[in-house]
């Protein structure tokens, strides 16, 4: 599923038909041979204009979901298009190329070659489709799995979403998937900047939120 479609999908609690600027979506329930109920999302591209009242309804429902995002003393990174919010300490700088190729980077210190002298929070966004589960992906295809020398992957519930986490010294990796979008964070320690690495990780885990 493309990121364009992904960012317009809502929680199952909004199971009534929903219109957006480009798509009409509805959930329908099916019963499997074992008697289990299965909810399926149907997405169709609109061939006609949608009334302003319907667009307003969509914006309200989306804002209701966003309103649950945790907050902290720091700078909010709110990627509305990808349904992701998290906080970084105010002292961290935003890379001037943020958003290009689905990469967002916040750091302290200076860039030396391809790395930074301080702390780094790097996010990579990509489509996640196919038959491989997120657990299978992180254990076999993710960058930490290929590099080796890491702790075993652990599933952690962070603000309502499951993230797969591993580490190697002061390098932590977090991965989650939501409606066809893959989120991969690499968080690396470095020079002290008034916030300890443990405090940085705590802020991230307390505020990272998928909506």
């Amino acid at each position: 599923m493309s990121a364009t479609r992904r960012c317009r999908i809502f929680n199952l609690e909004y199971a009534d038909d929903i219109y957006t600027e480009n798509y009409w979506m509805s959930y329908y329930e099916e019963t499997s041979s074992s008697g289990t109920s299965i909810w399926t999302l149907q997405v169709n591209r609109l061939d006609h204009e949608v009334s302003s009242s319907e667009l307003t309804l969509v914006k309200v429902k989306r804002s209701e979901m966003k309103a649950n995002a945790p907050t902290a003393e720091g700078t909010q990174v709110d990627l509305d298009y990808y349904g992701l919010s998290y906080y970084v300490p105010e002292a961290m700088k935003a890379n001037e190329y943020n958003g290009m190729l689905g990469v967002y980077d916040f750091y302290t210190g200076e860039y030396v070659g391809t790395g930074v002298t301080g702390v780094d929070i790097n996010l990579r966004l990509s489509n996640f489709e196919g038959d491989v589960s997120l657990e299978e992906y992180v254990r076999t295809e993710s960058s930490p799995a290929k590099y080796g020398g890491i702790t075993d992957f652990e599933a952690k519930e962070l603000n309502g979403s499951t993230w797969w986490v591993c580490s190697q010294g002061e390098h932590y990796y977090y991965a989650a998937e939501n409606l066809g979008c893959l989120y991969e964070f690499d968080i690396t320690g470095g020079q002290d900047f008034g916030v300890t690495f443990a405090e940085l990780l705590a802020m991230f885990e307390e505020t990272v939120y998928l909506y």
Side-chain angles (χ1 to χ4, degrees), residues 94-116:
N95 189 306
E96 63 178 314
Y97 299 109
N98 273 353
M100 295 183 64
L101 302 177
V103 176
Y104 291 82
D105 191 51
F106 293 84
Y107 64 98
T108 64
E110 302 298 331
Y111 265 93
V112 177
T114 58
V116 298

Side-chain angles (χ1 to χ4, degrees), residues 151-164:
T151 62
D152 190 24
F153 286 95
E154 172 191 4
K156 297 186 71 171
E157 293 294 319
L158 301 177
N159 304 307
S161 298
T162 300
W163 291 81
W164 285 91

Side-chain angles (χ1 to χ4, degrees), residues 122-168:
N122 184 276
L123 166 65
R124 298 184 307 281
L125 297 156
S126 57
N127 287 344
F128 188 74
E129 300 175 334
D131 299 328
V132 177
S133 68
L134 178 61
E135 180 179 4
E136 291 175 305
Y137 169 80
V138 297
R139 291 188 183 279
T140 61
E141 299 181 35
S142 67
S143 55
K146 292 177 179 178
Y147 295 149
I150 57 173
T151 62
D152 190 24
F153 286 95
E154 172 191 4
K156 297 186 71 171
E157 293 294 319
L158 301 177
N159 304 307
S161 298
T162 300
W163 291 81
W164 285 91
V165 184
C166 72
S167 64
Q168 182 183 41

Side-chain angles (χ1 to χ4, degrees), residues 1-16 18-21 23-27 39-44 58 61-63 65-66 80-83 129 177-181 183 210-211:
M1 182 178 296
S2 69
T4 301
R5 291 188 177 185
R6 192 226 72 77
C7 75
R8 291 179 167 81
I9 296 174
F10 302 86
N11 285 343
L12 189 58
E13 63 183 289
Y14 305 123
D16 295 335
I18 295 175
Y19 290 91
T20 74
E21 293 92 333
Y23 296 96
W24 166 77
M25 295 174 289
S26 63
Y27 287 94
W39 284 92
T40 303
L41 177 69
Q42 182 174 358
V43 182
N44 297 292
V58 170
K61 290 185 182 296
R62 188 166 176 80
S63 66
M65 296 170 60
K66 255 182 90 167
D80 184 76
Y81 186 81
Y82 296 100
E129 300 175 334
E177 180 269 335
N178 187 35
L179 299 171
C181 188
Y183 311 81
L210 302 179
Y211 59 89

